[in-house]
Structure formats: C-alpha cells, structure tokens
Amino acid sequence: MARFEPFRLSDNDRTDIVKGVSCALLLERHGYRLDKPESTRNALKYRAGKGETIIVNHEGRGWWDTGSDEKGDVFSLIQRLTPGLKFHEACRELGQLVGIEPKGAEYVRERQARTPDVAPAERWQAKKELKSGTKVWAYLTEERCLPEWVLRRAIMTGCIRDGYHAAWFCHRDAKGTICGAELRGPDTHICLSGTVKTLFRFQPGLGRTVRRLVVSESAIDALSYAALDSERTRETLYCSTAGGMGPETVEALTAELAEMAKDPAAVLVAATDNDDAGNRYAARLAELGREAGVRVIRRIPHGGCKDFNDALKTVVAAARAA
C-alpha cells in the first residue's frame, strides 16, 4: 500500500511565491478596485464594495486592512479571500501567478514618473495662506458650509493652506513635523504624493493639553464636527485619519491616548461615518482607547446623514430656510 505523503512547500518555493506574486494582483483577481488618486508606489489602496479598504505595501509583498490590525503576506491574503481553499490548492494557484504584474503597479509607476520629487513639507511651505474671497474659501464656506470662525481658527493654528484648486490640510507627526497633506476641492479628493498619514490636527481652543480627542475620517469632517460641537472645550483636539488607519496613524493616536490616560476624565470621541466602514473605524478606535485606558464614546451624524459635513450642511440649510 502506498504511503500518504503530506504536502510540503519548500522554503525556496515559498520565497519565490512571496517575491513573485504581488498582493495587488490577488486583490485585482478577486474584484477589488484600485483607488487611483489615493494610491502611491509604496501604498496601493484597494477597495471592495462594502467599504473594505486594503493597502498593499512592501513592493507588493505585504498588505494590511485599514479597518483592523489584520495584515500579512500573499499566503495569508489568499486565505482571507478564499477561506475554504486548502493549502496545497492555494500554493498551486499562487504558483501560476508568479511574475504577473498587477495593473495597479503599472499605473502608479507611470504616474510617479510625472510627479515632482519634492518633500510634502516643502510643498506645504510653498502654498499661500487661505484668505477670504479665494476659490478655496468659497468652496469651503459655500459648498462645504464651514463657518468662517472655524476657518480663521484653522488658519491661525497653521493646519490649512490654499492650494488654489483645493484646500490643503496638513498631517503632522508627534513632534509637529509636516509629513503630508489631505487635498480637498470641487474636483480633488487625494492625499499629497509622498504623504505619510499620521493625523490632521485642529485644536481651536489652543489648550496646552488634550483631554478630549475627536477622531474623524477626513479633515473636513473634523472641522464640521468642531462647528457642530456643543461639548467643545479648550482641551478638545479634532483629528482626521484621512480615511486610513496605517501604522503611523495608529502610532500617533496611541501617543495622544497615552498622554490623555493620565487624566481620568479624558475621553476619545469616535466621530466616524455612518456606514459599514465607519463602524469598523469606530470599533478600531474603541480598541485603541481601551488599550490606553481612555473612555470612548461613539458619535454618529444626526438625521441619517452619512458624515458630519453632510450633517453640517443640513443644519445650515435649515437655518437659512427659517
């Protein structure tokens, strides 16, 4: 009788697959679509139909889910995408993909070739201060309904600039160094090339400490929440993750929460969107808050609105109609 030999994958074959099969290719084959404006050569952003977002990094060899801590290589990814697939079947499928380039990698390589290689901090410094009467001011006050006092405070605290076609909202690390920017305008919804997403930070009260941390998914939502916030204090900091929860963002949030944890009255407010993706963000924020020992509360936009800018628009429209 023939003896059964279990399937084994040699170290060399595993290395060949990890190096030769991009996680991006696997996502593309399973219906994920590349978010072209939000992707860079080092971070390809893929989205699924239910708000799921997966970032491919490490030159295609790694991936992570922005809504959780789940991450890994192409082997763990294929197990996530096809849970019932046996290991030897997964190896055979991956082996057939070695050397095939994903479309996303080709796209960002061509786009990057046309992008000036200038650090985000330098490009930020070259932008003008936002002023009343400009295109960006009109976009933010009229289309986005942000009140003037919020914008003037944002200008004073140095977290917003005028990019002519779009507002620039800077991301800073724990030392205050600018490491990127969210760009938002009538036809613009991207992050500046080379951006390392940490946190957009807006503290209108200019308090020296942070006892109340409000986290939203975009800078405009953070400013909108500030405009609507009846519980605002001098120690309230409004933040945006720019639609992602990567390692640098988690590190920045963890550092803020560690300081806040020294005050038993400190609170983290998860002011995320009212959808599946927003629920996942809120759950991740709640986890970070629990780990730091900081109380966490969830706030969702009123009236069934998707996000807090929509909620602000609803309030402004009602006031104008009254």
Side-chain angles (χ1 to χ4, degrees):
M1 179 181 295
R3 188 175 64 175
F4 172 74
E5 290 288 341
F7 174 80
R8 291 186 177 87
L9 182 70
S10 71
D11 291 341
N12 288 338
D13 287 342
R14 172 179 282 274
T15 299
D16 288 343
I17 289 174
V18 171
K19 289 184 176 181
V21 182
S22 172
C23 293
L25 177 64
L26 205 56
L27 290 170
E28 291 174 359
R29 298 254 172 142
H30 284 79
Y32 285 71
R33 293 191 175 185
L34 178 70
D35 185 337
K36 293 181 177 180
E38 292 283 339
S39 295
T40 67
R41 181 179 298 183
N42 297 321
L44 297 169
K45 178 179 284 189
Y46 283 89
R47 299 186 187 276
K50 296 183 179 180
E52 181 185 15
T53 302
I54 292 180
I55 304 295
V56 175
N57 53 13
H58 300 305
E59 298 181 342
R61 298 177 190 175
W63 65 275
W64 54 272
D65 180 354
T66 62
S68 70
D69 275 337
E70 196 172 354
K71 58 184 177 180
D73 60 14
V74 72
F75 284 97
S76 61
L77 182 58
I78 197 170
Q79 290 173 348
R80 172 189 170 117
L81 297 174
T82 51
L85 198 65
K86 295 181 179 179
F87 182 65
H88 72 274
E89 295 172 334
C91 293
R92 183 169 61 247
E93 181 176 328
L94 291 172
Q96 295 172 350
L97 301 178
V98 172
I100 301 176
E101 185 175 54
K103 295 179 180 178
E106 181 181 355
Y107 169 80
V108 296
R109 183 173 60 248
E110 292 176 352
R111 191 185 69 174
Q112 286 290 106
R114 300 190 297 269
T115 302
D117 187 18
V118 180
E122 294 182 47
R123 298 182 68 184
W124 170 269
Q125 294 298 336
K127 295 303 171 185
K128 296 180 180 179
E129 180 180 299
L130 179 62
K131 294 183 179 180
S132 176
T134 62
K135 292 180 181 179
V136 171
W137 183 276
Y139 165 71
L140 294 173
T141 57
E142 297 172 14
E143 186 171 333
R144 293 295 192 156
C145 295
L146 290 171
E148 290 193 7
W149 76 263
V150 168
L151 295 182
R152 295 193 187 283
R153 280 283 174 173
I155 294 167
M156 184 177 68
T157 58
C159 64
I160 188 172
R161 287 283 174 94
D162 188 339
Y164 186 69
H165 292 293
W168 285 36
F169 303 95
C170 73
H171 277 228
R172 297 179 185 270
D173 61 20
K175 297 179 181 180
T177 302
I178 294 172
C179 51
E182 298 174 48
L183 277 57
R184 297 294 182 267
D187 302 306
T188 305
H189 190 276
I190 62 173
C191 281
L192 190 66
S193 60
T195 286
V196 176
K197 292 182 182 179
T198 49
L199 290 172
F200 163 77
R201 305 165 192 257
F202 172 56
Q203 190 168 2
L206 302 178
R208 293 186 177 180
T209 59
V210 176
R211 292 191 175 92
R212 183 167 173 265
L213 179 64
V214 178
V215 182
S216 299
E217 295 179 46
S218 74
I220 285 182
D221 279 337
L223 296 179
S224 298
Y225 194 97
L228 295 166
D229 193 5
S230 61
E231 300 176 299
R232 183 175 57 253
T233 65
R234 282 179 54 83
E235 293 80 20
T236 298
L237 174 64
Y238 302 91
C239 292
S240 159
T241 64
M245 197 78 90
E248 293 84 3
T249 301
V250 171
E251 182 180 354
L253 286 168
T254 301
E256 288 286 353
L257 291 168
E259 286 297 315
M260 292 170 59
K262 299 173 183 178
D263 185 342
V267 61
L268 167 62
V269 180
T272 54
D273 292 357
N274 187 17
D275 57 16
D276 290 342
N279 293 337
R280 288 196 295 271
Y281 271 110
R284 182 70 179 110
L285 289 169
E287 182 181 354
L288 292 175
R290 285 193 297 270
E291 291 174 355
V294 175
R295 184 168 65 95
V296 182
I297 59 176
R298 174 82 188 277
R299 291 285 185 262
I300 60 175
H302 66 267
C305 294
K306 178 182 179 295
D307 58 43
F308 283 98
N309 187 240
D310 285 342
L312 177 61
K313 290 177 183 178
T314 301
V315 170
V316 171
R320 289 172 178 172

